[in-house]
Structures are given as structure tokens and as C-alpha cells.
Amino acid sequence: MQKASYQLTIFLIVAIVLITTMVAFIITVLYFYRKKQIDFEKNLAKTRLDHEKEILATQVEIQEQTFQHISKEIHDNINLSLTLTKLNLHTLDWTQQEKAEQKIKNSIDLLSTSITQLNDLSKSLDTDTITRHSLLMALEEERQRINKTDCIYINYEVLGTPVYMNNQAEIVIFRIIQESLNNIIKHARAKTADLLLNYHPGYLEVTISDEGKGFDPSQQPKVGHAGLRNMENRVKLLGGSMQIQSETGKGSRLNFFIPFEKL
Amino acid sequence: MHDLITGSNYTIVLVVLCQIISITIILKNWRSEKAHKLMLLYTTYGLFIFTLGHYLFFSLKQYYVTAIAINESLNVVFAVIEISAFTHILMASINSKSLRIINRGIIIFVTAITPVLLITIFNEKVDKTIKRYITDSFSFFEITYIGILILIYFISIFKSSPEIDLKKRPTFWICSFSILYTISLPLTILLLEHFRHANRDIFQIIVSLHYLSLSFVYIGISKATLCKRPLTN
């Protein structure tokens, strides 16, 4: 009987030691895991804050570029047309009726051009179509607007099943495509350009290509001409990636990929 | 039977109690998932060994060789179910391609060797010491492997991003409560044979501690099931 009691005592002591060790182990693991979890949450909050700051900076940058665009359009086109109109009207000589009529006709033409330019400028700045309809419709309108200018012809194609993303993301994508098309109009001297939106499972692939004069992508952009870098920053902001292929005299091709999961 | 209960310092009763509680909790929180089915099989089979298995062993004691063979074969099958259940749960949490390949190899090896072991156990020409050595080696290998996987699991939870609360993860509770068992069983296998004849008191203490550690495994399974998430989470 005493022997059994002795055996039970030994067993209980060892069992208590083992149970205490096990409980201590579990508590230690939970403690260190919680500590790691707190650090992780802090880092996550910091990353989110940085991301929000980046979004804000990009929004400011987009706004700044838009103002520059408005200023340039007003100065180079509308201002010029209106100045010419003013000059025409100012130099009207009613004694020479035929010349005067011609000048009035010219002035009316110049005013019409100014109105069209103002209209185009307004449309190009308006993101209401994206908000009301979709990115695809806004791009179709942009294509029609550019094609009407007769500077370049844009071929536009959509493959796959379209996925509707949030407005902010669609506006950013629209602006990237718009900037890329503007670059082609301004620098590529191409007669046509292709815009392809391919909706893959999980991501959107956008391809903008032309057969214009091309450029050397390895060259550093000039000050104030950081368009490509800005586009890349915006693509990265949406969690995507961008590729540029170009060679002097052989056109250019810009590809960017936007994953849906991060939107 | 009474000797077995008092000899194990009543830990055998604790094991059976934990098994019944575990089965009840699993059935009450039933999910039609492979992990749940495997854990239910593991617990039910464990209960079978500790109740009917022991009853059968004592009933057939006059046929000593048959009783030993049945006992050994039941333990081998228990080890196979144990390794299947634990590896299924652990491999879902450990994200390692190479380990997955190794694990598949080990499971194939275990499945292939089990019939050979069972045939050897029931072969009357094979000496009982050799039989015990073979089954002990098998159990030793099986539990050491599970122990290594548990260790890898604890390392992996500190390497991955801690998004989910650890207290809500069933695998954590299964692993935490099984640690004692995975350490105690290999030691039990190594020491038991020596103390079986050398010192009966120490022998019984070792057996009791082994049963105690096994009851913790069932407590871990119960706690994991109460997390109300897939057991592989």
C-alpha cells in the first residue's frame, strides 16, 4: 500500500512538472506570436499610410499635369485663334466690303475652331463618362475624339470578358492610356496607333503600340518630360507592372498589367 | 483489468474519458472534411484499443501468443492512422514543396510496410522479442516523424505573416498538446523494455506518463475542434 502511494507521489510530481512545462511552452509561443502579430500590424498600418500618401502624391501630380495641359492648350490653340479673331475684327475696313466680309468669315471660322478646341479640351478632362458608364466607353469616346482630329487613327480592340473595377482605378488607367496616346500624337509621328485591352483571368493587360519614329527607352528623360516614369508610377500604384519596347525608327510598344485582386 | 487501471495510476481512465469527450465534441461540431473524418477515426480507434482492445487482451491471456499478436497489430494500425491524421493536418499548415514530396514518400512507405508488419506479427515462427522490436521501431519512427513535423510547424508559424490569431488556429492546439506525447512516446519505447523487468515501479510510472501525454493529445483535438474552423487551418 505504501509502495503504491510512493509510486503515485512520484508520478504526480513528474506529471505536474511535465504539465507545467507544456503550459509554459504554450504561453511562451502565444506571447512571442502576439508580439510578432503586433509588429506585423504596425508595419501593415505604416505600409497602408505610405500607400495612401503615394496615392495623394500621384493625385496631386495628375492634377498638376492636367493644369499644365489646360494651360498649354489655351495658350497654343485657343489663345491663338482668339487673338487672330480679334486682329481680324480690329482691322476691319468697311470701305472695302469684299475684304471685310472675308475677314468676318475667317473670324467666324476661327471662333468655330476655338469652340471645337474648348469642347475637346473639356471632354478630355471629363472623367464623368467613367463614373457614369465605364472605362471602355470613356476610351471609345477618347478614340473618336482623337480620330476626328485627323492627326492619327486609333484602332481600338477589347478581348476577354470585361471586369469593372472601382472608379478611382479606372480613372487612373484611363489617364495612363490618355497620356500614352498623347505621347504618340506629340512625338511618334505615326499615322496609326493600336490600343488593345485584354481581360485575362485575374488581370488586365493593356497594349498601346505605334509604328512611328520610336525612341531609345534606356535614355534618361529630360527634365519636365518624365511622362513614362509617371505612367510607371501610376501602374505600380495599382499593383501592376509596365514594359516598354521601342527602337529608333521602329515604333514603340507599351504594355502594362493590372491585377484585379489589388483593386 | 483492475490491475491495469491502478497500475497506470488511473491515467487509463483519464485517456478513455478524454477520448469520449473528444468524440462527442467532434460529432457535435461535425464538418464534412477529411481532417475531421481522420481525427474521428483516430479518436474512435484509440477508444477501441483502450476499451475493447484491452478487454480482448485480458480475455485471451491464456492464449498468450495470440493476445500479444492482436495487441501488437492493433498498435501498428493505430500508428498508421495516427501518422495519416497528423501528417494531413500538419502538411496543410507547412508550406514546403520538398517536405510535401518527402511526406508522400513516407506515407507510401508506411502503407507498403504495414501489411508486411501485420503478417510478421501473426507469424508464429517469428520470435516475440523480434516482433516487439519491429513494432516498437515502427512506432518510434512514426512518432519521431510526427514530432519533427510539429517542430517544423512551430518554426513555420514564426516565419509566416501572423495574420490569424494563433488561439483560433486548430493546428496550433493539436500541435501544442501533442508535444508532450511526441517526446514521451519515443522515450517510453526506449526505456520500457529495460524497466519492464528491472524496476516495476518505474515501468508503471513511465506507462502512466505515456497515458497522461496521450490524454493531452485528445484534449488538444477537442480544443482544436472547438475553434470551429477547418482542422487544417
Side-chain angles (χ1 to χ4, degrees):
Chain A
M1 189 68 185
Q2 205 179 355
K3 200 181 168 192
S5 165
Y6 171 74
Q7 192 200 85
L8 189 66
T9 312
I10 298 279
F11 163 70
L12 284 174
I13 291 168
V14 179
I16 287 165
V17 169
L18 288 176
I19 293 166
T20 312
T21 313
M22 195 180 74
V23 171
F25 172 78
I26 294 171
I27 291 169
T28 311
V29 170
L30 284 172
Y31 170 75
F32 281 107
Y33 189 84
R34 183 73 198 128
K35 212 175 155 194
K36 200 190 168 198
Q37 208 173 18
I38 291 166
D39 287 346
F40 177 76
E41 277 161 11
K42 269 184 196 167
N43 279 338
L44 200 70
K46 194 181 170 291
T47 313
R48 274 196 197 129
L49 195 73
D50 288 349
H51 188 69
E52 274 165 22
K53 272 184 193 167
E54 216 174 312
I55 288 174
L56 201 70
T58 309
Q59 278 172 344
V60 171
E61 195 184 285
I62 290 171
Q63 217 170 37
E64 202 57 45
Q65 279 178 358
T66 313
F67 288 147
Q68 273 179 12
H69 176 63
I70 299 169
S71 158
K72 202 169 177 295
E73 281 293 312
I74 291 172
H75 179 264
D76 295 355
N77 301 315
I78 301 158
N79 183 35
L80 192 71
S81 302
L82 292 176
T83 309
L84 279 172
T85 311
K86 186 188 165 193
L87 202 70
N88 270 340
L89 296 174
H90 200 66
T91 55
L92 269 182
D93 184 1
W94 292 105
T95 53
Q96 294 171 312
Q97 207 176 348
E98 211 174 295
K99 267 192 176 177
E101 275 174 11
Q102 187 58 46
K103 276 189 176 178
I104 286 170
K105 200 176 165 292
N106 284 347
S107 299
I108 290 168
D109 287 346
L110 283 167
L111 280 173
S112 298
T113 314
S114 300
I115 290 165
T116 314
Q117 282 165 349
L118 267 173
N119 210 9
D120 285 349
L121 182 63
S122 159
K123 272 186 183 171
S124 75
L125 296 171
D126 186 21
T127 51
D128 203 36
T129 318
I130 300 174
T131 315
R132 275 190 288 110
H133 302 289
S134 70
L135 170 71
L136 300 184
M137 196 160 277
L139 286 175
E140 177 55 36
E141 278 184 12
E142 183 69 4
R143 179 185 91 104
Q144 282 173 11
R145 191 184 68 79
I146 295 172
N147 285 354
K148 260 199 298 185
T149 62
D150 285 332
C151 299
I152 193 167
Y153 186 82
I154 311 285
N155 295 306
Y156 174 46
E157 200 181 348
V158 179
L159 298 174
T161 312
V163 172
Y164 295 95
M165 295 163 268
N166 68 55
N167 272 336
Q168 283 295 319
E170 291 207 331
I171 290 169
V172 174
I173 293 170
F174 177 75
R175 289 284 179 232
I176 298 167
I177 295 171
Q178 198 178 35
E179 189 164 343
S180 177
L181 292 174
N182 279 343
N183 283 346
I184 293 172
I185 295 165
K186 274 192 234 164
H187 311 294
R189 287 182 199 156
K191 283 180 183 164
T192 59
D194 297 315
L195 168 63
L196 171 70
L197 268 81
N198 196 350
Y199 286 90
H200 296 277
Y203 70 96
L204 166 69
E205 180 190 359
V206 179
T207 310
I208 304 151
S209 57
D210 68 80
E211 287 181 355
K213 65 175 190 172
F215 65 97
D216 183 1
S218 62
Q219 269 188 353
Q220 288 289 316
K222 291 170 196 165
V223 180
H225 291 81
L228 281 174
R229 205 189 55 218
N230 288 341
M231 279 194 270
E232 197 169 5
N233 284 343
R234 287 179 210 173
V235 170
K236 278 183 187 165
L237 196 71
L238 298 173
S241 60
M242 193 173 105
Q243 289 170 356
I244 304 156
Q245 291 170 326
S246 187
E247 217 176 298
T248 313
K250 288 182 178 172
S252 60
R253 182 188 172 90
L254 182 132
N255 266 68
F256 63 87
F257 308 87
I258 309 288
F260 300 135
E261 59 175 74
K262 297 203 175 161
L263 301 176
Chain B
M1 197 75 172
H2 182 259
D3 284 351
L4 182 73
I5 293 169
T6 50
S8 71
N9 293 304
Y10 301 95
T11 46
I12 198 160
V13 181
L14 183 71
V15 175
V16 172
L17 203 70
C18 289
Q19 284 168 333
I20 293 167
I21 293 169
S22 187
I23 291 168
T24 315
I25 290 172
I26 292 173
L27 289 174
K28 244 188 156 183
N29 299 278
W30 181 249
R31 297 171 84 103
S32 191
E33 285 158 9
K34 196 181 171 187
H36 259 76
K37 288 172 190 167
L38 279 169
M39 273 304 161
L40 181 67
L41 176 69
Y42 174 65
T43 319
T44 317
Y45 188 78
L47 182 66
F48 170 74
I49 288 183
F50 275 86
T51 51
L52 288 172
H54 277 126
Y55 176 75
L56 216 66
F57 181 74
F58 286 103
S59 306
L60 296 169
K61 219 165 182 183
Q62 61 269 39
Y63 311 104
Y64 186 68
V65 177
T66 318
I68 290 284
I70 288 174
N71 191 38
E72 297 289 331
S73 61
L74 285 176
N75 285 337
V76 166
V77 176
F78 182 74
V80 174
I81 296 171
E82 191 168 63
I83 200 169
S84 307
F86 275 84
T87 51
H88 177 73
I89 287 165
L90 287 165
M91 290 318 291
S93 300
I94 304 166
N95 198 9
S96 167
K97 213 175 175 181
S98 50
L99 199 65
R100 206 152 285 172
I101 296 165
I102 294 168
N103 183 62
R104 201 169 294 161
I106 286 173
I107 293 293
I108 291 168
F109 168 72
V110 167
T111 318
I113 209 164
T114 307
V116 181
L117 284 177
L118 293 175
I119 292 164
T120 316
I121 288 167
F122 283 99
N123 189 348
E124 286 178 11
K125 286 175 191 166
V126 181
D127 185 65
K128 75 172 169 65
T129 324
I130 294 169
K131 282 180 191 173
R132 184 166 283 159
Y133 177 75
I134 290 169
T135 50
D136 281 354
S137 305
F138 182 67
S139 297
F140 186 87
F141 162 77
E142 174 260 336
I143 203 66
T144 308
Y145 178 60
I146 292 173
I148 291 167
L149 284 187
I150 288 176
L151 191 72
I152 295 170
Y153 169 77
F154 278 113
I155 294 167
S156 76
I157 55 167
F158 280 101
K159 276 188 176 175
S160 60
S161 55
E163 284 164 70
I164 306 166
D165 189 357
L166 205 54
K167 281 178 268 178
K168 290 176 184 163
R169 294 177 84 166
T171 319
F172 168 71
W173 291 113
I174 293 174
C175 289
S176 299
F177 279 95
S178 302
I179 271 197
L180 199 62
Y181 175 64
T182 55
I183 296 167
S184 81
L185 187 58
L187 289 174
T188 307
I189 293 167
L190 289 174
L191 299 172
L192 216 56
E193 206 47 47
H194 172 71
F195 286 108
R196 192 186 292 274
H197 307 292
N199 191 327
R200 199 70 191 164
D201 285 347
I202 296 176
F203 172 82
Q204 282 177 335
I205 288 172
I206 292 170
V207 170
S208 308
L209 288 172
H210 166 61
Y211 287 161
L212 181 76
S213 67
L214 187 60
S215 47
F216 277 116
V217 175
Y218 295 111
I219 293 171
I221 293 168
S222 306
K223 177 73 187 99
T225 315
L226 286 172
C227 288
K228 297 186 185 237
R229 296 168 79 106
L231 288 178
T232 46
N233 206 299

